[in-house]
Amino acid sequence: MSMKKIAEVAGVSVSTVSLVLSGKGRISEVVKNKVLDVAKSMGYKSPLYSNRCNTVAVLYTIDKEWKHVLGFINEILVEFEANIVGEGLTPILLPISFNESSELIKKKLSDLSPLAVCSIHYVDEEIFSSMESKGVPVVIINRSILQGKFCTVCVDDFQGAYEGGKILLEGESADNAVFLGYEKGNMTSIIDDRAYGFQKALLEVGCSNVQNAVYYIKEPLLDGVVELLKSFEKSSFPRAIFVYDDYLALFVVAGLKSLGLSIYKDVRLLAPGDTLDYGHPFTPQISTMSINTRLLGEFGAKMVIERLSGKIGGMQVYKVRQEFVRRRSC
């Protein structure tokens, strides 16, 4: 006898059954009694999660290649915690590496026995499916690749790149504008959404060759940027560059400088993110499509709470718009 079978007979979600059997969450008396009656008729004896605390496991990546986004993730975490604790829930941080095996991560989660799982920036379909099958709801924050399968709070990357592209291209020839991104890696959906959004902006302003306006940088980043910039003919050198994020834009600034060019005089530059500290005196003042980390954390917490209370039974997606922040590069 499984919670999935009880849920099917009672006509509710697996997470609702989990909450009723564990005595957690805010479930109406009607639904609670219906679930308990079905469970009793099927031979249910004792709660499956009787020892579980009111914890929410929060997975987040700690790989060194993503250290530049730790401040960004921290802002999401602060807002997430502020909203979750008010509901009597306790977030427990579980640092994760992309190189860790799924079995090890599943063991960490099993030892914790959380009411729900929230993952920031990290995705693993096998792990998330395993938790959902056990009646533990999963919410993903700041990654869109699995938004068709799991509840997700993410950034509208297509919108940000499209609107940012229109701003970047004001007064510039579309044929002298390019998109620079990382080689695909495990961020395919975000990179593609931003590239497609920028291409749509190019189409609307009459670019004659949209497909050849997208380039991907190889590691090491500075060498890759310099190599690409040197490959452009002087007559076709880009005068406007939309960069995948402002971390990569740092390397574009350095690459342009090595060629005797400046983002303040020679090339317009725009990037999504705000992952850099623009209050630091040595940070180049890059115009950005800012991502509202407060809303990501707030909506992520709201979605976890709604799933635990049974208000969300199926898959839902919240998307946060990007907003233009004008600095000296655009």
Side-chain angles (χ1 to χ4, degrees):
M1 187 271 294
S2 67
M3 285 193 293
K4 184 175 181 181
K5 187 64 177 177
I6 295 174
E8 291 175 355
V9 176
V12 299
S13 67
V14 175
S15 60
T16 297
V17 173
S18 173
L19 289 170
V20 172
L21 300 186
S22 61
K24 310 295 184 183
R26 294 177 291 183
I27 308 297
S28 72
E29 288 300 316
V30 173
V31 173
K32 185 185 299 182
N33 291 333
K34 184 178 182 180
V35 170
L36 290 175
D37 287 344
V38 170
K40 184 178 180 179
S41 70
M42 298 178 69
Y44 172 76
K45 298 296 182 182
S46 61
L48 297 178
Y49 294 93
S50 57
N51 296 321
R52 188 190 296 175
C53 298
N54 290 341
T55 58
V56 176
V58 182
L59 310 181
Y60 68 102
T61 179
I62 56 170
D63 293 294
K64 64 180 182 180
E65 58 264 39
W66 296 108
K67 63 183 179 181
H68 62 282
V69 300
L70 288 180
F72 182 89
I73 291 174
N74 182 66
E75 292 176 357
I76 297 173
L77 281 170
V78 168
E79 197 65 31
F80 180 84
E81 180 183 29
N83 283 270
I84 212 81
V85 295
E87 297 295 322
L89 298 168
T90 302
I92 303 295
L93 301 185
L94 289 181
I96 300 297
S97 170
F98 282 101
N99 294 324
E100 285 186 62
S101 68
S102 295
E103 292 306 313
L104 177 58
I105 298 172
K106 281 191 282 189
K107 183 180 184 306
K108 289 181 179 180
L109 290 169
S110 177
D111 291 344
L112 182 60
S113 292
L115 281 176
V117 173
C118 175
S119 184
I120 302 176
H121 200 67
Y122 174 84
V123 291
D124 188 307
E125 185 174 353
E126 178 189 350
I127 293 172
F128 298 162
S129 295
S130 173
M131 298 307 294
E132 289 277 0
S133 70
K134 297 175 182 177
V136 180
V138 174
V139 171
I140 302 170
I141 298 179
N142 201 40
R143 286 296 299 275
S144 60
I145 191 169
L146 296 179
Q147 64 180 305
K149 298 181 179 180
F150 300 96
C151 285
T152 300
V153 178
C154 59
V155 178
D156 193 339
D157 290 297
F158 181 90
Q159 165 267 330
Y162 166 69
E163 292 185 8
K166 294 293 288 289
I167 293 169
L168 179 69
L169 294 168
E170 290 175 358
E172 293 290 338
S173 168
D175 291 330
N176 283 332
V178 298
F179 172 93
L180 299 187
Y182 302 98
E183 287 200 326
K184 297 301 181 78
N186 59 13
M187 303 293 286
T188 302
S189 62
I190 299 177
I191 295 173
D192 285 347
D193 282 350
R194 292 180 182 178
Y196 296 152
F198 182 70
Q199 286 178 309
K200 184 176 188 299
L202 286 176
L203 280 171
E204 291 190 2
V205 295
C207 179
S208 61
N209 197 346
V210 172
Q211 295 303 318
N212 288 339
V214 176
Y215 297 87
Y216 297 105
I217 306 300
K218 299 178 180 179
E219 294 279 4
L221 293 180
L222 182 56
D223 291 347
V225 168
V226 172
E227 180 182 351
L228 175 64
L229 294 176
K230 286 183 176 179
S231 71
F232 291 109
E233 298 290 339
K234 187 174 182 180
S235 59
S236 61
F237 195 89
R239 312 306 300 178
I241 304 176
F242 189 98
V243 188
Y244 168 79
D245 63 10
D246 52 351
Y247 176 70
L248 180 57
L250 279 179
F251 295 89
V252 175
V253 171
L256 289 169
K257 185 177 180 180
S258 72
L259 299 180
L261 300 172
S262 167
I263 60 171
Y264 304 133
K265 296 180 180 179
D266 306 298
V267 179
R268 292 163 64 91
L269 196 67
L270 182 61
D274 268 2
T275 61
L276 306 179
D277 180 3
Y278 287 103
H280 196 288
F282 299 109
T283 302
Q285 294 302 295
I286 300 167
S287 297
T288 57
M289 295 302 293
S290 181
I291 296 172
N292 193 323
T293 51
R294 182 187 64 80
L295 287 181
L296 287 174
E298 178 184 332
F299 290 168
K302 178 182 179 182
M303 187 173 279
V304 167
I305 293 165
E306 289 184 342
R307 290 212 62 192
L308 287 173
S309 64
K311 292 181 180 178
I312 296 179
M315 187 274 299
Q316 295 287 333
V317 177
Y318 298 160
K319 287 202 172 184
V320 176
R321 290 175 57 84
Q322 296 180 22
E323 300 289 342
F324 177 60
V325 176
R326 186 181 302 277
R327 298 189 181 92
R328 293 179 61 196
S329 72
C330 180

